[in-house]
């Protein structure tokens, strides 16, 4: 049973906008929001006055003095005066949290057209400020001093994984986990070359990504710089509607969605299971009435390469402890049976945290409408988007399909 069958109505992505990701010194949070919102509304073929509600995904957590940005989108047009606007925050999953809130407004019947925005401005802040803000998304480390920040938390996940499963090839102790993670980094950097929005558009090659060097130092063993997504500025927006709006491209249907949160204290979680992430996948696929084999590609939350490896297992592409098989068999490459992060992922595209979830939906919609340019896959009819906050804490999955 699909979302449409369950609720008796469609949720359609009818227009979208996307900024470049990177160090955008000439942009402000306001200018980014206005840019992508204007683009999304125009692309949807509607007037600003037709927007019933606005949801803005933004993490911030002290990276910017302005902590109340919900009305910034009203700067697009005087016709947005008095439109209900709400900021949504769920760490690095804030964008997808905003997307699901917009979806629920449509399903509840309180709105027929919703503007969802994800935006973040990070690069102006010092490394200490950004690091402390991101650590605010961890129960045990919030407010603590750390030289490795969130990288250290995912490095611990990688250490637990290596101790339990080795390289993830299905045989404990086989190969090097660092080499597997280097392959993921190289794949995503290679994919990012074709993404005009991406922050890092250079094919670094597997050897560079697998090797510790002056240009690729160890950040937190075993994670090197190429295993970590960059600090970024950027924004993305999407218009959600219950019926087609006559926009510039065909609409994309939301077939199913899922959310699941895990316990916050690390002691209550298996560090390699990402149990709630797995449940969010199961809920989204069940609502859409499809299986993993019905997907043509996926955009997943690779804030660190170990996160993407674990995602292969959480989505059910491989058994637990065998994530490397997805690489060895070529399944997740651009020409594989389930390409993952054709956009370059967070690793190469960048990770302006509040923008990421909305960006993933926009990139997927572009693929499904044949408007992805150099990123375009030959066949793209159904996709999954997965966005995560914290170390597998807040988890969101959407299944999208072409009409």
């Amino acid at each position: 049973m699909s979302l449409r069958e369950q609720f008796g109505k469609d949720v359609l992505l009818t227009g979208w906008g996307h900024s470049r990701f990177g160090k955008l010194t000439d942009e402000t949070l306001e200018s980014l929001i206005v840019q992508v919102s204007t683009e999304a509304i125009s692309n949807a073929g509607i007037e600003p006055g037709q927007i019933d509600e606005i949801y803005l995904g933004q993490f911030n957590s002290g990276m910017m003095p302005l902590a109340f940005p919900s009305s910034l989108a009203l700067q697009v047009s005087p016709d947005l005066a008095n439109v209900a606007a709400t900021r949504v925050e769920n760490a690095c999953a804030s964008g997808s949290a905003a997307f699901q809130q917009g979806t629920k407004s449509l399903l509840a019947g309180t709105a027929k057209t919703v503007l969802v925005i994800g935006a973040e401005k990070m690069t102006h802040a010092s490394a200490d400020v950004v690091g402390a803000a991101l650590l605010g998304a961890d129960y045990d480390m919030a407010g603590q001093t750390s030289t490795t920040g969130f990288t250290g938390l995912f490095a611990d996940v990688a250490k637990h994984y290596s101790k339990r499963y080795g390289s993830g090839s299905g045989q404990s102790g086989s190969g090097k986990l660092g080499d597997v993670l280097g392959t993921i980094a190289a794949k995503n950097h290679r994919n990012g070359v074709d993404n005009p929005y991406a922050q890092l558009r250079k094919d670094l090659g597997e050897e560079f990504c697998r090797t510790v060097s002056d240009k690729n130092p160890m950040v937190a063993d075993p994670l090197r710089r190429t295993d970590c997504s960059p600090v970024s500025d950027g924004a993305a927006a999407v218009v959600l509607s219950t019926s087609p709006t006559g926009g510039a491209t065909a609409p994309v249907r939301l077939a199913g969605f899922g959310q699941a949160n895990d316990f916050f204290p690390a002691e209550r979680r298996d560090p390699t299971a990402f149990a709630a992430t797995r449940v969010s996948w199961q809920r989204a696929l069940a609502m859409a009435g499809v299986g993993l084999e019905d997907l043509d590609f996926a955009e997943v939350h690779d804030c660190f390469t170990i996160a993407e490896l674990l995602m292969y297992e959480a989505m059910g592409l491989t058994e637990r402890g065998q994530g490397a098989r997805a690489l060895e068999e070529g399944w997740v490459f651009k020409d594989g049976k389930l390409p993952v992060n054709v956009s370059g992922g967070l690793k190469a595209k960048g990770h302006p945290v509040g923008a990421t979830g909305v960006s993933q939906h926009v990139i997927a919609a572009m693929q499904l409408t044949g408007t992805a340019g150099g990123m375009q896959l030959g066949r793209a009819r159904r996709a999954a988007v997965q966005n995560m906050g914290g170390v597998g804490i807040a988890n969101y999955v959407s299944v999208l399909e072409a009409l």
Side-chain angles (χ1 to χ4, degrees):
M1 178 178 291
S2 67
L3 177 152
R4 184 183 186 187
E5 293 167 331
Q6 182 172 340
F7 293 96
K9 64 175 71 176
D10 264 327
V11 173
L12 302 177
L13 289 70
T14 54
W16 43 83
H18 202 298
S19 78
R20 186 168 59 86
F21 281 6
K23 188 173 183 178
L24 308 180
T25 55
D26 294 332
E27 300 285 356
T28 64
L29 181 67
E30 180 179 332
S31 69
L32 287 168
I33 288 172
V34 170
Q35 174 195 330
V36 298
S37 299
T38 300
E39 186 180 347
I41 291 168
S42 175
N43 183 249
I46 63 173
E47 297 298 324
Q50 292 175 258
I51 300 293
D52 298 314
E53 293 182 12
I54 298 169
Y55 289 97
L56 169 66
Q58 189 216 23
F59 179 46
N60 192 356
S61 191
M63 289 183 286
M64 285 193 66
L66 180 64
F68 182 42
S70 56
S71 282
L72 288 179
L74 274 58
Q75 301 294 80
V76 169
S77 168
D79 293 337
L80 288 174
N82 302 318
V83 171
T86 304
R87 176 195 172 209
V88 180
E89 187 279 314
N90 221 355
C92 296
S94 295
S96 286
F99 182 90
Q100 285 202 14
Q101 287 304 116
T103 294
K104 291 173 182 177
S105 286
L106 296 184
L107 295 178
T110 59
K112 292 183 179 179
T113 306
V114 174
L115 175 64
V116 177
I117 310 158
E120 207 76 65
K121 196 77 169 65
M122 304 173 69
T123 65
H124 63 283
S126 69
D128 288 347
V129 169
V130 173
L134 296 178
L135 278 178
D138 185 76
Y139 179 87
D140 300 289
M141 290 301 298
Q144 303 297 312
T145 301
S146 171
T147 58
T148 56
F150 237 81
T151 308
L153 298 178
F154 274 88
D156 286 342
V157 171
K159 290 173 183 175
H160 282 290
Y161 188 91
S162 183
K163 183 177 181 180
R164 185 177 298 181
Y165 300 119
S167 67
S169 298
Q171 298 178 21
S172 182
S174 64
K176 294 181 179 180
L177 179 61
D179 287 348
V180 173
L181 301 183
T183 298
I184 292 173
K187 169 182 73 72
N188 291 349
H189 275 287
R190 186 162 57 249
N191 288 346
V193 171
D194 295 323
N195 184 351
Y197 304 119
Q199 181 169 354
L200 305 174
R201 299 185 67 189
K202 186 176 182 180
D203 185 353
L204 299 177
E206 283 200 25
E207 186 63 28
F208 180 85
C209 292
R210 287 179 167 190
T211 305
V212 176
S213 64
D214 290 342
K215 292 186 177 180
N216 189 26
M218 189 70 75
V219 180
D221 190 23
L223 302 182
R224 299 143 299 205
R225 180 178 291 166
T226 50
D227 293 305
C228 311
S229 58
V231 173
S232 315
D233 305 327
V238 62
V239 173
L240 301 180
S241 309
T242 54
S243 59
T245 56
T249 61
V252 169
R253 175 181 289 130
L254 176 64
F257 63 90
Q259 178 191 357
N261 275 50
D262 210 336
F263 295 108
F264 216 178
E267 64 184 19
R268 299 196 66 181
R269 288 178 277 119
D270 180 333
T272 67
F274 277 45
T277 312
R278 187 180 301 268
V279 171
S280 66
W281 274 97
Q282 293 168 348
R283 288 173 176 169
L285 292 171
M287 182 183 289
V290 301
L292 209 61
E293 68 278 3
D294 298 309
L295 302 179
D296 295 309
F297 67 95
E299 288 287 323
V300 309
H301 193 99
D302 62 320
C303 50
F304 301 93
T305 50
I306 182 64
E308 179 167 329
L309 183 68
L310 283 165
M311 213 49 57
Y312 303 157
E313 301 175 13
M315 71 170 76
L317 188 58
T318 75
E319 296 295 324
R320 286 186 61 182
Q322 298 184 27
R325 281 195 62 208
L327 297 160
E328 293 163 357
E329 302 291 339
W331 297 338
V332 294
F333 292 94
K334 198 167 184 179
D335 59 352
K337 69 177 185 180
L338 185 64
V340 172
N341 287 336
V342 175
S343 69
L346 286 59
K347 174 77 269 291
K349 183 180 61 177
H351 184 28
V353 290
T356 288
V358 181
S359 167
Q360 291 174 310
H361 285 84
V362 169
I363 294 293
M366 292 171 64
Q367 283 283 356
L368 294 170
T369 55
T371 58
M375 295 183 284
Q376 189 64 51
L377 293 166
R379 172 181 168 76
R381 300 295 300 169
R382 186 178 289 113
V385 166
Q386 180 268 330
N387 189 201
M388 177 175 70
V391 187
I393 302 298
N395 303 273
Y396 296 82
V397 176
S398 297
V399 177
L400 306 178
E401 58 187 22
L403 291 182

